[in-house]
Amino acid sequence: MQLTVLYFGAVREALGISTEILTLKRNSVAEDVRSHLIVRLPQIAGLLKRSAIAVNQNYVQPEHTLADGDEVAILPPVSGGALSFV
Amino acid sequence: MQVSLTREKIDAQQIVDALKSGADGAVCVFDGIVRNNTRGRQTLFLDYSAYEEMALSQMQALAETASANFGVRDVAIVHRLGRLEIGDTSILIAVAAAHRGATFDACRWIIDTLKKTVPVWKKEHFVDGAVWVDGEPFPEEIVARAEEQQ
């Protein structure tokens, strides 16, 4: 099964790419994408574990079953709006 | 409802003027701006990026939820992306309603929720280096809520 995976922020910078096609076995779940990345990039394992996963632009739980052609996004903790430190 | 992402300067007055209507008694505006330091470390500029399609749908959902839950008449949410200098507006939220109480409450709820859930990131550039600003942990309910919708 083929997935389009999107990377953002510090994860994108660590990987050096913004998107790629990833091939996983059938019936893989969202968490499998994270596990795959942790093996590839152990130096940012902590950030990957704190990241959320979106499938087709909706937040999903780690056990969400993926389908061929899904757009999977790895979302580091977000920091929009204004600076929050006081 | 005006919900948008822009790479141009945000014109607060234009957004507020477009939002107002005769039935409104109040417009509450939150204007988030780029500060010149973080914990005393001098900031040069910020670089904002987003998962744009999802950020827009999440912002639209925030505007709709705020309207429904706080009973306000209309909401505008505009977030800027790209390089922002000190003093620039990064986000403008404007809420209009017949009475002021609901506008304050809705405006506060929108910015607090947006900062935890809308996929926007910023890299802060200092005189002596740059860091991706580490956001707050994702709320547990974000995952639960997304799952319920399916």
Side-chain angles (χ1 to χ4, degrees):
Chain A
M1 142 173 111
Q2 288 202 321
L3 309 164
T4 301
V5 188
L6 308 180
Y7 304 113
F8 297 94
V11 173
R12 174 182 291 190
E13 201 165 272
L15 269 165
I17 52 172
S18 57
T19 180
E20 67 181 331
I21 304 294
L22 202 63
T23 303
L24 294 182
K25 65 179 192 306
R26 278 181 63 192
N27 298 319
S28 290
V29 297
E31 186 64 23
D32 294 330
V33 177
R34 189 203 315 272
S35 306
H36 166 86
L37 290 169
I38 289 173
V39 171
R40 259 166 78 185
L41 286 167
Q43 67 272 26
I44 59 162
L47 177 64
L48 290 165
K49 287 174 186 166
R50 284 184 285 119
S51 296
I53 302 172
V55 174
N56 302 329
Q57 302 170 18
N58 289 303
Y59 288 107
V60 298
Q61 292 182 327
E63 59 272 24
H64 175 90
T65 303
L66 300 171
D68 188 51
D70 274 351
E71 178 179 289
V72 180
I74 306 300
L75 309 176
V78 301
S79 55
L83 287 169
S84 50
F85 306 115
V86 178
Chain B
M1 277 182 244
Q2 186 195 349
V3 173
S4 62
L5 298 168
T6 179
R7 284 177 172 73
E8 311 296 322
K9 273 193 182 294
I10 293 175
D11 184 340
Q13 192 61 52
Q14 182 270 325
I15 293 166
V16 171
D17 288 347
L19 190 72
K20 283 182 188 171
S21 109
D24 297 327
V27 174
C28 183
V29 178
F30 174 76
D31 185 343
I33 60 176
V34 178
R35 190 172 48 228
N36 67 4
N37 78 93
T38 293
R39 300 196 184 101
R41 193 177 179 191
Q42 189 187 340
T43 303
L44 290 179
F45 63 93
L46 297 184
D47 197 1
Y48 281 86
S49 55
Y51 182 8
E52 296 190 26
E53 303 85 347
M54 183 172 169
L56 278 172
S57 64
Q58 293 277 318
M59 288 159 64
Q60 183 70 35
L62 285 183
E64 288 168 7
T65 303
S67 295
N69 291 0
F70 295 93
V72 296
R73 188 193 57 80
D74 202 3
V75 174
I77 308 175
V78 180
H79 203 306
R80 191 170 161 195
L81 301 177
R83 175 172 167 152
L84 275 73
E85 309 293 337
I86 307 304
D88 281 350
T89 294
S90 56
I91 185 158
L92 197 291
I93 299 170
V95 180
H99 303 285
R100 68 184 180 281
T103 68
F104 279 116
D105 294 345
C107 198
R108 175 86 193 223
W109 178 83
I110 291 169
I111 183 61
D112 288 352
T113 310
L114 179 144
K115 288 171 73 79
K116 294 177 205 158
T117 64
V118 175
V120 173
W121 299 271
K122 59 177 170 269
K123 191 167 189 180
E124 188 169 12
H125 294 259
F126 298 99
V127 287
D128 55 347
V131 293
W132 285 99
V133 177
D134 206 1
E136 298 174 52
F138 283 104
E140 289 295 321
E141 67 270 20
I142 205 179
V143 180
R145 191 165 60 232
E147 202 66 16
E148 281 164 16
Q149 288 169 356
Q150 291 168 4

